[in-house]
Amino acid sequence: MEELDIITSRGNIHVYKQGNGEKKIILLHGSGCDSAMLSWREVMGKFSDKFTVYAPDQLGYGKSDKPQNMAGDSFYDIHIETLRELADSLGLEKFALAGLSMGGAVAMGFALRYGERVAALFPVDPWGISEKIPLGKFSLWYIHKTDLTLKQFRWIANSRFMAKWLASYALIGDKKNITDEIIDEMLEACRADGAGKAMQDYQRSSCTEKGVYPYYVNELRKLKMPVMFISGEKDDLVPKEDVIRAAKVVGTEARILKNCKHWSVKEMPQEFCDIVENMIG
């Protein structure tokens, strides 16, 4: 696997590259204690030789730069335009695009803005399709009136038990898939500089007094490329019912990965690759 550093106008983006095939795909990770390799490590090596796979650490995560003032109305614009600059620098005129959670919202936003560049779109347990803020007013208080998100990351960073609880509660459906290696990676991510701040910026930009942001369902009919929504059957963060509804708006189906939670592609990497290759391979 190659590692690249791409300079954009908003900061350095660290990119992992696997393969040299004719078909190109970019994989976007989610928020929280996440990064390119945490979300996509298992997936990247399972594509056929026909693919070149790129997985960037998005701004604020992993080995990429960590801007201090990301939160606000421009949060998603920054991520979308950074992705455009990244694709330009990599020489990708047209490519498949997959995004998990926050990355799914960035991917859908990019596809709506630059649809001519997206060969196929794969939103995975994506933010941007649910109408309601989880836990409503309590979440707004927690996110905007406290710094408990930052403390939460410090708690997880110093507690293997907490990391395992988080993985089991929200991320991974089958406890057999919660390995020591995954917990080690989660702890390392939570200990990284700015990890909690990246999550807080995402929360404060996505859960507002006006409601969830972005909310793409009313725009999804504009998508002209092939689209496949993917959901973990037991995902409580982005319920499968929301994913199925969004797929119906596009006029496509949703693939539900059985017994999986929010990190569905990490639990079933081969199934994800098969879905992609059956559509564009």
Side-chain angles (χ1 to χ4, degrees), residues 263-275:
W263 255 345
S264 59
V265 293
K266 197 168 183 70
E267 290 198 77
M268 291 190 169
Q270 188 61 63
E271 285 78 358
F272 172 78
C273 292
D274 289 345
I275 290 168

Side-chain angles (χ1 to χ4, degrees), residues 30-233:
S31 64
C33 55
D34 210 349
S35 66
M37 285 294 94
L38 252 176
S39 279
W40 299 107
R41 182 188 306 279
E42 292 82 0
V43 165
M44 291 187 72
K46 295 188 180 297
F47 278 106
S48 73
D49 293 341
K50 293 184 288 186
F51 280 81
T52 304
V53 186
Y54 299 92
D57 286 330
Q58 299 196 75
L59 288 172
Y61 295 86
K63 297 181 181 179
S64 291
D65 281 350
K66 298 170 176 61
Q68 293 301 305
N69 299 308
M70 288 282 288
D73 294 342
S74 61
F75 179 85
Y76 287 97
D77 282 337
I78 290 171
H79 280 298
I80 290 168
E81 291 305 318
T82 300
L83 175 58
R84 178 187 59 78
E85 291 185 41
L86 174 67
D88 290 345
S89 295
L90 293 171
L92 304 179
E93 294 184 8
K94 196 164 188 175
F95 52 93
L97 181 60
L100 167 66
S101 192
M102 178 190 80
V106 175
M108 287 186 290
F110 184 91
L112 287 164
R113 188 175 299 180
Y114 299 110
E116 72 282 358
R117 300 192 64 171
V118 180
L121 178 66
F122 301 92
V124 183
D125 301 287
W127 181 254
I129 59 170
S130 297
E131 288 186 277
K132 297 181 179 179
I133 297 172
L135 302 180
K137 290 183 178 180
F138 173 79
S139 290
L140 290 175
W141 170 82
Y142 182 96
I143 291 167
H144 292 278
K145 302 299 183 182
T146 80
D147 283 327
L148 289 174
T149 292
L150 304 183
K151 293 181 179 180
Q152 174 188 343
F153 270 71
R154 290 196 290 270
W155 295 333
I156 296 172
N158 292 302
S159 171
R160 198 170 188 87
F161 172 82
M162 286 289 292
K164 285 184 176 180
W165 176 85
L166 175 62
S168 176
Y169 173 75
L171 301 176
I172 296 176
D174 187 342
K175 291 184 179 181
K176 295 194 299 292
N177 292 326
I178 304 175
T179 64
D180 287 340
E181 289 77 14
I182 288 175
I183 298 303
D184 287 341
E185 284 188 280
M186 289 178 64
L187 291 170
E188 183 179 355
C190 288
R191 291 168 184 157
D193 291 342
K197 180 64 164 57
M199 178 61 164
Q200 187 180 70
D201 286 348
Y202 161 71
Q203 290 176 328
R204 289 182 172 178
S205 304
S206 303
C207 299
T208 74
E209 292 288 349
K210 297 179 181 179
V212 296
Y213 185 83
Y215 181 65
Y216 286 130
V217 171
N218 296 328
E219 301 180 63
L220 293 177
R221 292 181 180 86
K222 300 175 184 176
L223 296 172
K224 302 302 181 184
M225 73 291 295
V227 181
M228 179 66 74
F229 282 86
I230 299 168
S231 173
E233 181 184 32

